[in-house]
Amino acid sequence: MNLRKATPSELPFIWEILQQAIQQRKQDGSEQWQNGYPNEQTVYDDIANEYGYVLVENNVVIAYAAIIFGEEPAYNVITGKWLTNDDYAVVHRVATSNAVKGKGIATHLFKMIEDLCIEKKVYSIKVDTNFDNIPMMKIFDKLNYVYCGEIFFSGASRKAYEKVIQKD
């Protein structure tokens, strides 16, 4: 498997994966991603800004994430406290293809994101998720992310987590 920046030609494949995730969130009874976000323009902007990353296996896109190395304005105000005030990466819009569901791909994706952060000498990852996104919270727990409090993002209160990555 290879984690790399997405290309514009991959937008249809990424959008299909995101649509699968949007449908899954709906089936789970979640309100997350049920209001027109994310959409194709969001992914287009991710790719244009070089935030869009794909996980590829055998030349097939199997997962997507927006990885932002820099400040997330929504994270400046938190009800709680972040672990660090250092540089950080933000991970948004994580989705895996239905073709690989149940195979630990999202967990593997986050481990590869940690490696990418180390490569870029960024040792903190900050993320948020909806209060009812149990699968994502389980991944955060498995990978030792620390619940830091609540932030307000995309019009809703969200659970905020941070992981400090150990330098080699």
Side-chain angles (χ1 to χ4, degrees):
M1 279 186 264
N2 179 35
L3 178 67
R4 61 166 173 74
K5 288 186 180 177
T7 65
S9 66
E10 292 168 324
L11 196 145
F13 306 107
I14 295 165
W15 180 233
E16 176 61 30
I17 289 170
L18 280 166
Q19 285 181 303
Q20 292 170 3
I22 289 166
Q23 185 61 34
Q24 183 65 54
R25 300 302 307 129
K26 184 176 185 175
Q27 287 174 359
D28 291 346
S30 175
E31 295 177 18
Q32 186 176 11
W33 291 4
Q34 302 305 306
N35 63 355
Y37 166 89
N39 53 48
E40 285 181 280
Q41 185 64 48
T42 310
V43 178
Y44 178 85
D45 292 345
D46 284 346
I47 294 169
N49 290 316
E50 298 190 356
Y51 302 153
Y53 282 78
V54 289
L55 186 61
V56 179
E57 184 175 49
N58 297 324
N59 296 315
V60 176
V61 175
I62 60 171
Y64 177 77
I67 307 168
I68 303 165
F69 289 92
E71 183 179 328
E72 168 56 72
Y75 289 4
N76 290 338
V77 177
I78 183 169
T79 304
K81 187 172 183 352
W82 293 112
L83 300 176
T84 70
N85 294 315
D86 299 331
D87 290 342
Y88 59 92
V90 179
V91 182
H92 286 311
R93 298 178 281 288
V94 175
T96 59
S97 168
N98 284 350
V100 295
K101 288 280 186 222
K103 296 183 178 180
I105 298 301
T107 300
H108 189 71
L109 171 64
F110 271 97
K111 288 178 182 175
M112 292 183 84
I113 292 169
E114 289 179 25
D115 292 341
L116 179 64
C117 288
I118 291 167
E119 183 181 307
K120 292 184 175 283
K121 297 185 178 6
V122 174
Y123 300 101
S124 168
I125 301 173
K126 294 180 180 179
V127 294
D128 67 87
T129 194
N130 211 54
F131 284 83
D132 58 10
N133 192 339
I134 304 302
M136 188 59 67
M137 288 186 273
K138 285 182 178 177
I139 291 169
F140 295 157
D141 186 50
K142 182 191 297 185
L143 295 176
N144 300 312
Y145 280 73
V146 176
Y147 174 70
C148 295
E150 295 178 28
I151 55 97
F152 199 75
F153 186 79
S154 281
S157 184
R158 317 263 296 181
K159 293 179 82 104
Y161 296 80
E162 183 176 3
K163 181 171 184 177
V164 178
I165 305 166
Q166 298 302 314
K167 299 176 186 177
D168 287 341

